[in-house]
Amino acid sequence: MTMNAPVIANLILIILEIIGISKSRSRGLILLIFYTQLSNIVTLISSVAYLISSGSPLTVALRYLSTVMLAMTVLITLFVLIPAGMGFADMMLSGNGLYHHTLCPAISIASYFLWEQHSSQWFIPVIVTLIYGIVMLYLNYAKIIEGPYPFFRVYEQSKKASVLWMIGLTAFISLISLAVVFLAR
C-alpha cells in the first residue's frame, strides 16, 4: 500500500504537533488559555482522525476547523502580536512558535487546500472562537487570569475597546472561515 500526500502531510503534522506541544508542556495546563495552543491541539486531533477515517464528516469538519483556527493564529500573530512588540523571530522561528506559528499552520493549510475533502460549515470556527473569546473575557474580568492576549486584558483598556476587539475578532474569523470555504472550492 502506498501512502498518498495528505496521509504523509498528516503524519508529519502529528510529529510536529507533538514536538511543539512538548516544547510548551512546562507551562502545564495554563497553556490551554492560548488560542495558539488550542488551534494546534485541534490540528493534532484532526490529523489523527484523518489517518483513522479521512472521509468521515467529523474528520472533514475537524480538519476545516483546524485550518481556519491555524489561519487565525498565524494572522493574529503576524498582524497584531508582532506589531505590538513581540519579536518576529521569537514568535515565528524559535521554540514552540516555530511549530505552532509557522510549520504546522503551513503544512496543515496546504494539505487541506491541496488534497483533502472540504467543508462548507463556515460557522463552526466562528462559534468555537467566539466561545473561546467570551470565556477569556470572563476569566480576565473575574481576575482569574490576565491575558493571554492584549485584547482580553479588560482592565488595561476601556470597555469600548474590549467590545470593539470582540467584534473585530469575530468579523475576522468569519472572513477567514468564508474565505477558506470559497478558496477551497
Side-chain angles (χ1 to χ4, degrees):
M1 181 172 125
T2 60
M3 290 200 288
N4 57 21
V7 170
I8 293 169
N10 279 279
L11 279 170
I12 292 169
L13 277 170
I14 291 168
I15 294 166
L16 294 177
E17 289 293 2
I18 290 170
I19 294 169
I21 290 168
S22 73
K23 290 186 173 291
S24 304
R25 77 175 188 275
S26 64
R27 293 181 181 167
L29 289 178
I30 197 75
L31 70 88
L32 296 177
I33 68 171
F34 292 90
Y35 190 88
T36 296
Q37 299 295 334
L38 295 174
S39 67
N40 280 277
I41 290 168
V42 170
T43 301
L44 175 60
I45 293 166
S46 74
S47 291
V48 170
Y50 188 89
L51 295 181
I52 295 169
S53 178
S54 63
S56 79
L58 178 60
T59 299
V60 172
L62 280 172
R63 288 294 300 137
Y64 170 69
L65 175 63
S66 75
T67 298
V68 173
M69 288 180 74
L70 287 175
M72 177 79 158
T73 295
V74 169
L75 294 171
I76 292 296
T77 300
L78 289 172
F79 297 112
V80 176
L81 301 178
I82 291 172
M86 299 181 181
F88 179 84
D90 291 336
M91 295 296 288
M92 303 298 289
L93 303 175
S94 65
N96 74 314
L98 173 64
Y99 299 92
H100 290 163
H101 294 144
T102 306
L103 296 175
C104 293
I107 294 168
S108 184
I109 292 167
S111 180
Y112 181 81
F113 277 107
L114 296 174
W115 304 302
E116 298 177 28
Q117 188 175 346
H118 302 132
S119 174
S120 60
Q121 305 297 318
W122 70 270
F123 55 88
I124 294 172
V126 176
I127 292 169
V128 168
T129 301
L130 190 57
I131 291 169
Y132 167 79
I134 290 168
V135 169
M136 288 299 106
L137 281 176
Y138 171 77
L139 292 174
N140 274 265
Y141 180 77
K143 296 185 178 182
I144 296 170
I145 63 167
E146 184 180 334
Y149 303 108
F151 38 83
F152 290 138
R153 295 184 176 150
V154 296
Y155 293 107
E156 295 178 18
Q157 62 190 5
S158 69
K159 289 178 184 175
K160 181 180 177 182
S162 294
V163 169
L164 289 174
W165 269 113
M166 285 301 291
I167 291 169
L169 292 169
T170 303
F172 194 50
I173 192 72
S174 298
L175 286 172
I176 295 168
S177 297
L178 290 168
V180 169
V181 168
F182 178 77
L183 294 171
R185 287 188 202 190

